[in-house]
Amino acid sequence: MTTVSNMNYELSEEMQSLVYWSSIYSPADQHIDSIRAAYDAMCLHYTLPRDGTVDVEDKIVPHDMHPVNVRLYSPLGQAPAQGWSCVVYIHGGGWMVGNLDSHEFITRYLCRDLNVAVLSVDYRLAPEHHFPAAYEDCEVVYEWLKQHGADWNINTDQIVLVGDSAGGNLAAALAIQLQHTANQACGLALIYPSLSGCFENESCQQHAQAPLLSVEDMHYYLKAYAPNTQDWQDLRLSPMLAQDLSDMPPSFIAVAEYDPLSDDGRIFAERLQQANISTEFYLGKGLLHGSLRLVRDCPVVQDLYQHMLSSIKQMLK
């Protein structure tokens, strides 16, 4: 699995720093435990200590077969009479790495900056758990939240799905499945999402050896999560293949310029717009895959973040 690449990219100081620290935290070997330990250490590097600006509580969403661990971030103070609006955050990590701690660099701040509850989902990971385990856990959490969210002071009519990378895949897949039901989310926000098992579009060719995520990496992650390639045609894994997007929620999609996945987000945004879904597309100029963790340090990522905040606020009106 590739970690960094010395291609001829003109990277900003912030992107060079991201590549450097990703190399510092590279795994000792290719065992999944080593990969996860390195990823966790890298995430911790970008996560500030909690400062008491939001309430944080770990909870469990019940399920007969597979209860799901979640983390609930709530604004300080009295909840509105209808409960807090809520962002369901689904973390990235190639369906293989990441947990409730890995994306606290963003989840805490979404709670504070939007003044909404944020529910982070600790879905089952590959290779121990293959497709559709991760998807099913996200679906269980969402459906439980729609039915029982009031128990946690959450307004069940005001839920936005948000995810980055593989988490963007899961969020988009869930929104696809929620079409033409009474339970559709009121918004969808995706950051450099992986949306199909096809790696032949222009961005995959142009950025096949991009730093931090190569096409080889993408194959590695996808095969670990979905070893049966027939599953790559399933809309729960490849939401890009959906023919009907007529009942998708208002959407925000951001991509990184130097990322083999950038066409996934761009094409999906175009298709949503063609289906008359209110959709904002943001191209992060000069950004690499994974750059969201520089939200406090990189002006372009901060700009992306502010656009996402603005879009989510519109979704929750």
Side-chain angles (χ1 to χ4, degrees):
M1 186 178 65
T2 315
T3 306
V4 297
S5 175
N6 295 317
M7 297 295 289
N8 296 318
Y9 288 101
E10 293 188 10
L11 300 179
S12 66
E13 287 186 15
E14 295 89 0
M15 291 302 102
Q16 292 179 46
S17 170
L18 186 65
V19 172
Y20 170 77
W21 285 107
S22 295
S23 68
I24 292 295
Y25 291 112
S26 59
D29 54 53
Q30 291 307 298
H31 190 277
I32 187 61
D33 289 343
S34 296
I35 294 171
R36 286 178 182 153
Y39 184 82
D40 290 348
M42 186 265 293
C43 291
L44 185 61
H45 175 86
Y46 289 103
T47 306
L48 294 176
R50 293 179 182 174
D51 56 7
T53 54
V54 301
D55 287 327
V56 185
E57 189 175 0
D58 288 351
K59 294 177 174 289
I60 298 176
V61 169
H63 187 267
D64 289 344
M65 297 291 290
H66 300 288
V68 185
N69 293 320
V70 295
R71 181 168 292 166
L72 178 63
Y73 304 84
S74 303
L76 302 177
Q78 185 71 30
Q82 302 90 350
W84 298 109
S85 298
C86 183
V87 163
V88 173
Y89 195 92
I90 308 175
H91 70 77
W95 305 281
M96 295 182 70
V97 297
N99 49 46
L100 294 178
D101 295 327
S102 65
H103 283 62
E104 195 156 295
F105 70 87
I106 188 74
T107 46
R108 278 206 328 260
Y109 298 94
L110 286 169
C111 175
R112 184 196 67 189
D113 297 339
L114 289 168
N115 199 41
V116 302
V118 174
L119 191 69
S120 180
V121 183
D122 192 21
Y123 56 85
R124 285 171 288 165
L125 299 174
E128 298 93 332
H129 304 283
H130 294 146
F131 172 83
Y135 172 83
E136 289 176 345
D137 286 352
C138 296
E139 187 176 60
V140 161
V141 168
Y142 183 86
E143 290 182 348
W144 187 91
L145 197 60
K146 290 292 284 186
Q147 294 176 17
H148 305 285
D151 297 347
W152 293 354
N153 281 329
I154 288 173
N155 182 345
T156 58
D157 293 325
Q158 292 276 286
I159 299 175
V160 173
L161 293 168
V162 182
D164 68 281
S165 194
N169 168 278
L170 294 163
L174 185 52
I176 293 286
Q177 297 299 315
L178 290 169
Q179 289 194 108
H180 313 302
T181 72
N183 285 337
Q184 181 61 279
C186 65
L188 176 69
L190 311 176
I191 311 297
Y192 35 72
S194 170
L195 298 173
S196 77
C198 175
F199 306 132
E200 297 176 1
N201 55 37
E202 185 176 345
S203 65
C204 281
Q205 296 173 31
Q206 187 175 0
H207 303 298
Q209 296 295 325
L212 305 188
L213 184 72
S214 67
V215 170
E216 181 184 351
D217 294 335
M218 289 159 53
H219 274 285
Y220 172 85
Y221 291 131
L222 192 58
K223 287 177 180 175
Y225 178 45
N228 182 353
T229 56
Q230 290 181 330
D231 288 332
W232 298 10
Q233 302 301 308
D234 193 311
L235 297 187
R236 296 172 299 170
L237 184 63
S238 297
M240 184 81 84
L241 298 179
Q243 297 299 305
D244 177 17
L245 298 175
S246 63
D247 190 34
M248 289 291 282
S251 298
F252 171 85
I253 300 177
V255 300
E257 182 180 14
Y258 303 145
D259 182 353
L261 291 176
S262 62
D263 276 350
D264 272 24
R266 178 185 61 80
I267 293 168
F268 196 59
E270 290 173 355
R271 292 196 54 218
L272 287 168
Q273 291 165 347
Q274 290 164 5
N276 294 317
I277 304 301
S278 174
T279 303
E280 179 183 355
F281 176 72
Y282 186 98
L283 172 60
K285 287 282 192 179
L287 296 187
L288 297 170
H289 192 87
S291 53
L292 186 60
R293 54 182 50 91
L294 291 184
V295 64
R296 289 179 301 277
D297 307 313
C298 175
V300 180
V301 180
Q302 178 61 220
D303 188 61
L304 182 163
Y305 179 67
Q306 292 299 329
H307 275 80
M308 179 169 68
L309 292 179
S310 178
S311 270
I312 293 174
K313 287 175 183 176
Q314 291 295 317
M315 297 167 188
L316 291 172
K317 277 193 172 180

